[in-house]
Amino acid sequence: VSEASFLKALSRLAAIVGKDHVFSSDKELAVYLDPFAPGDAAEFAASAAVMPATVQEIQAIVGVANQYRISLWTVSTGRNFAYGGAAPRLSGCVVLDLKRMNRIIEVSEAFGYALVEPGVSYFDLYTYIRRQGYKLWIDPPAVGWGSIVGNTLERGFGTTPYGDHAAAQCGMEVVLANGEVVRTGMGALSKSTAWQLFKAGYGPSFDAMFMQSNFGIVTKLGIWLMPEPQGYLLCHAKFRNDADLEAIVETLRPLRLDETIQGNAVIESGVRWAAGVSPRNRWYEGAGAMPQAAIDAMIGQLDIGRWNLRLALYGPDELVDARYRIVQKAFAKIAGADLSARKYTTAAPEGGGDKSQAGIPSLAAFQMINWRGGAGAHLDFSPICPPTGRDAMQQYRMVQARAAEYGFDYYGGFTVGIRHLNHIFAAVFDRNDPQQTQAARELLQVLVTQAGAAGYGEYRTHLAFMDLVAAQYDFNHHALLRLSQTIKDALDPAGILSPGKQGIWPKALRK
Amino acid sequence: MVSRRQFIEMIAAMTAMGWTPCRASLRQAPVHAVYAGYTEYARTPAAVFDSRLPASRVFARRARTAGWQALELRPDVGDLWYHTLRPDFAAALYPLAGLTLESDFFVLKQLTAELGMDVPYQRRHEGGDALVSWVIAPRRDDSPGPAATSPPLASG
């Protein structure tokens, strides 16, 4: 695209959304740089940004993009931090920033759902529900400032029984690359009465196709909300030994499968727990990963476990009590397991992790960036792990060893779903320290590759590793990626939507 | 009338550990006079503090003495933003000065940048439990852009 053509396109965009909603100066575009970039943030820099307020404006923007061959990078609110934030995979894209589309279109207390636009954050919906007095809970991810639409499309997760956000999604509105507006599921009826009630609709279902993809622009999304429980119990458990991870996972699996434990449980390493309440230099000031002796001293002083488990039980008192007795009995088999619990009915918990389990959004999880000091940042490695003790130990040992080689502590943990574990390791670094930053990037590359060789794939990744992660999904010579490319070419022949997202490139940019 | 530069120097001194104003001109001026004299914005700046941190509590006390609003970060910076600052800023932007953990500064910096505010001053304290002093203020055309760092002051 020539500069003259680009400027013409910007002028057309300004005519659509107003000049106050088109940005192209370095100062304005700074907010679209990745603040946790593992290297030079300019590697993933936008050339401009445009903020529409309506679906009609998006349709018009897509028309301009097709005409001038401008690539758009869609973000809801752009808070996908540790995975790239609002920055585009392909430098030079125009960020299509949807945060002005921030209407909570409908909340149904009777049916337990909300229909929202991309600019609505978890905090926004939580506040709205509380003000309206609806007896409903949201399920916030660890950091609650992000978009509900964005997080759901990225298959984010939380810790209440509605913690699988993609699974709780019902009905979408999507603008396709040709400008056509499609509603999925029951929304395909003009007079639909069940858009947010029945996912499938009639014929093929397409909702999942618009998650972690570049096949369309999601402009409305239905999300199911949990009825407020009569009460709940938050349980913390501490475990003494590294090797206890195996028994913890084996103990949790049947309890999650039969839904004795209704929501995602979370297993956190000692370092991860400590990083939420203290900086690293309080415990260790040497170079390289913390030695075991320093970790032992730290967990002793903080009175935490080598592994720390959070789980929550919801419902009427009698049911919560019955479920907790089963949980206590199961964990009594692990020597040294130390369980404590607190019931809540009206008062709310205060800690960030506890609040998330009670459907209350928080930003406390950001305290992790204080761990290394300086300008804290993190880069996440997020492999899916089968819910067996053996697999969890294998992934943990592998990540811990590689992390130590690159000078990083094992800041990690496992979120325990019904049939899988989300293993999240964060390489926490000081972004003002070029060596640490480079080491984090190199470590992630090694982890992705080594995990892939062992049969473990990531569910989500930073811009810098999207192609590498896609390459690990190699069955039948990458047949899945070819399928994605075929769909991409059919729906977006000019390749204007989010090129390179999740490794899916338009034809003209494929290597 | 106090200039923006003098204002930032004052904040730098106030959030420094040990409270030792470094400029003779500021040393001569009573604290409240400096604050009162800063008239660039329609509304008085607010101090953001973290009650868990002793140095931050001291900063809040000084700010209150000067007639500023002192805003507590706890229990969660998200609550401060969504329930206080965002509604306030919808009416009019005003400067914030803080002595907080890096993480809370990061969050506020990101959120305010989208409203056209930037960081004319930030200073990380060595060995201070990830403490950082900062000023976030409505952006001016001649400001150096987001996240610019002022040179460290001699004091504190």
Side-chain angles (χ1 to χ4, degrees):
Chain A
V1 179
S2 70
E3 187 178 353
S5 184
F6 181 71
L7 291 174
K8 264 189 203 166
L10 287 190
S11 170
R12 291 278 307 279
L13 294 177
I16 295 165
V17 300
K19 61 180 173 50
D20 289 347
H21 300 117
V22 176
F23 311 103
S24 57
S25 73
D26 288 349
K27 201 176 285 185
E28 292 167 326
L29 293 177
V31 297
Y32 297 101
L33 292 172
D34 177 9
F36 295 165
D40 185 358
E43 182 182 354
F44 305 107
S47 59
V50 56
M51 270 192 197
T54 66
V55 170
Q56 291 74 24
E57 287 181 359
I58 292 177
Q59 290 177 282
I61 290 166
V62 163
V64 171
N66 273 306
Q67 182 183 346
Y68 290 89
R69 292 294 191 265
I70 300 289
S71 296
L72 302 171
W73 181 264
T74 308
V75 301
S76 298
T77 56
R79 304 212 196 287
N80 195 20
F81 292 157
Y83 299 113
R89 169 67 185 87
L90 178 66
S91 189
C93 280
V94 173
V95 174
L96 181 65
D97 182 345
L98 304 183
K99 68 166 67 74
R100 285 177 71 213
M101 298 176 67
N102 59 0
R103 291 182 304 153
I104 297 169
I105 297 164
E106 184 188 3
V107 174
S108 169
E109 186 176 33
F111 297 122
Y113 69 75
L115 178 65
V116 296
E117 291 188 323
V120 176
S121 72
Y122 287 92
F123 267 100
D124 292 331
L125 184 59
Y126 173 79
T127 303
Y128 178 81
I129 286 172
R130 293 282 81 78
R131 284 185 184 155
Q132 297 298 319
Y134 294 140
K135 302 287 187 191
L136 294 171
W137 276 19
I138 65 163
D139 182 277
V143 174
W145 66 354
S147 158
I148 294 166
V149 172
N151 186 273
T152 304
L153 295 181
E154 291 297 325
R155 305 195 185 103
F157 51 84
T159 48
T160 77
Y162 284 41
D164 182 343
H165 294 173
Q169 176 268 327
C170 187
M172 286 179 184
E173 179 184 85
V174 186
V175 177
L176 301 179
N178 63 3
E180 187 153 53
V181 180
V182 175
R183 288 187 175 177
T184 63
M186 301 304 287
L189 275 76
S190 296
K191 295 181 178 175
S192 178
T193 55
W195 190 16
Q196 274 62 62
L197 301 179
F198 182 67
K199 293 184 184 189
Y202 179 72
S205 296
F206 293 103
D207 297 57
M209 202 176 82
F210 296 105
M211 293 182 178
Q212 289 196 0
S213 81
N214 48 14
F215 301 150
I217 299 162
V218 177
T219 51
K220 293 182 183 67
L221 181 141
I223 190 84
W224 287 343
L225 303 172
M226 183 168 102
E228 183 180 295
Q230 282 185 26
Y232 56 97
L233 173 148
L234 303 186
C235 172
H236 291 176
K238 297 179 282 189
F239 301 90
R240 289 179 186 163
N241 307 304
D242 246 19
D244 287 340
L245 176 63
E246 184 160 354
I248 298 167
V249 172
E250 289 295 321
T251 304
L252 283 170
R253 187 177 60 247
L255 299 174
R256 286 293 285 124
L257 268 170
D258 70 10
E259 298 193 53
T260 297
I261 299 171
Q262 303 132 295
N264 292 335
V266 184
I267 307 164
E268 299 180 284
S269 70
V271 164
R272 178 161 139 175
W273 190 286
V277 296
S278 59
R280 185 179 194 259
N281 65 10
R282 187 175 297 174
W283 314 110
Y284 183 68
E285 295 197 86
M290 279 177 77
Q292 287 305 313
I295 293 176
D296 287 340
M298 176 184 75
I299 64 177
Q301 286 191 50
L302 288 174
D303 191 24
I304 60 176
R306 178 72 69 161
W307 294 104
N308 302 275
L309 172 67
R310 297 173 184 273
L311 61 89
L313 305 171
Y314 305 88
D317 220 29
E318 300 89 329
L319 291 182
V320 167
D321 287 343
R323 290 175 191 278
Y324 190 52
R325 280 195 296 275
I326 295 169
V327 169
Q328 283 177 303
K329 189 175 171 189
F331 280 101
K333 294 171 188 163
I334 302 177
D338 180 4
L339 272 67
S340 61
R342 183 175 168 190
K343 278 186 187 171
Y344 294 84
T345 49
T346 51
E350 290 187 355
D354 290 351
K355 286 167 82 171
S356 292
Q357 288 179 309
I360 304 168
S362 164
L363 298 181
F366 269 118
Q367 290 186 48
M368 67 181 288
I369 69 172
N370 301 325
W371 181 242
R372 293 292 286 263
H378 64 107
L379 196 56
D380 290 3
F381 172 63
S382 315
I384 295 298
C385 181
T388 73
R390 183 180 152 277
D391 282 292
M393 280 304 291
Q394 185 173 338
Q395 285 200 7
Y396 162 60
R397 294 286 188 213
M398 186 271 280
V399 174
Q400 184 202 37
R402 295 294 84 76
E405 287 168 13
Y406 285 81
F408 292 91
D409 307 315
Y410 177 77
Y411 176 104
F414 296 81
T415 299
V416 183
I418 294 176
R419 288 182 177 81
H420 73 282
L421 310 176
N422 277 99
H423 182 190
I424 306 289
F425 162 76
V428 184
F429 62 98
D430 175 357
R431 61 188 182 278
N432 286 346
D433 182 329
Q435 284 182 326
Q436 265 186 38
T437 306
Q438 181 61 22
R441 185 170 185 143
E442 289 174 7
L443 170 60
L444 260 285
Q445 285 171 333
V446 168
L447 290 174
V448 169
T449 307
Q450 188 168 347
Y456 301 126
E458 289 70 59
Y459 94 103
R460 190 173 180 182
T461 196
H462 187 276
L463 301 167
F465 312 108
M466 283 183 173
D467 290 337
L468 182 63
V469 169
Q472 309 307 308
Y473 288 77
D474 62 351
F475 171 74
N476 192 18
H477 307 289
H478 304 94
L480 182 64
L481 184 59
R482 283 200 303 281
L483 171 62
S484 294
Q485 290 167 343
T486 302
I487 295 168
K488 179 69 176 170
D489 293 345
L491 290 180
D492 181 15
I496 59 164
L497 299 183
S498 300
K501 171 101 176 128
Q502 251 64 29
I504 305 167
W505 292 94
K507 202 170 205 168
L509 296 173
R510 257 173 239 153
K511 289 170 187 167
Chain B
M1 177 70 181
V2 173
S3 71
R4 179 181 169 98
R5 181 179 174 80
Q6 285 175 303
F7 166 71
I8 288 169
E9 286 173 349
M10 191 68 201
I11 295 301
M14 285 203 52
T15 55
M17 307 297 200
W19 176 228
T20 49
C22 56
R23 297 291 174 111
S25 58
L26 295 178
R27 216 176 287 134
Q28 290 161 6
V31 172
H32 67 273
V34 174
Y35 290 127
Y38 189 66
T39 56
E40 183 170 334
Y41 301 99
R43 196 176 146 175
T44 316
V48 176
F49 76 103
D50 184 337
S51 60
R52 299 175 309 173
L53 309 171
S56 191
R57 289 199 300 270
V58 170
F59 167 58
R61 202 160 53 239
R62 290 170 188 154
R64 283 197 192 97
T65 303
W68 281 24
Q69 185 182 12
L71 302 171
E72 163 67 299
L73 273 172
R74 299 297 144 210
D76 192 290
V77 63
D79 295 318
L80 174 63
W81 176 257
Y82 286 96
H83 300 145
T84 303
L85 292 176
R86 191 170 72 163
D88 274 8
F89 288 162
L93 300 180
Y94 55 86
L96 303 173
L99 178 57
T100 69
L101 293 175
E102 172 75 22
S103 53
D104 294 316
F105 167 53
F106 171 79
V107 166
L108 290 174
K109 183 171 63 174
Q110 293 295 320
L111 290 166
T112 53
E114 293 172 0
L115 299 181
M117 299 173 81
D118 66 7
V119 181
Y121 172 76
Q122 61 179 298
R123 182 181 176 215
R124 296 188 173 84
H125 296 264
E126 290 295 324
D129 285 358
L131 273 179
V132 55
S133 308
W134 50 263
V135 172
I136 294 174
R139 195 176 297 150
R140 297 192 320 179
D141 288 343
D142 61 346
S143 67
T149 307
S150 298
L153 293 173
S155 65

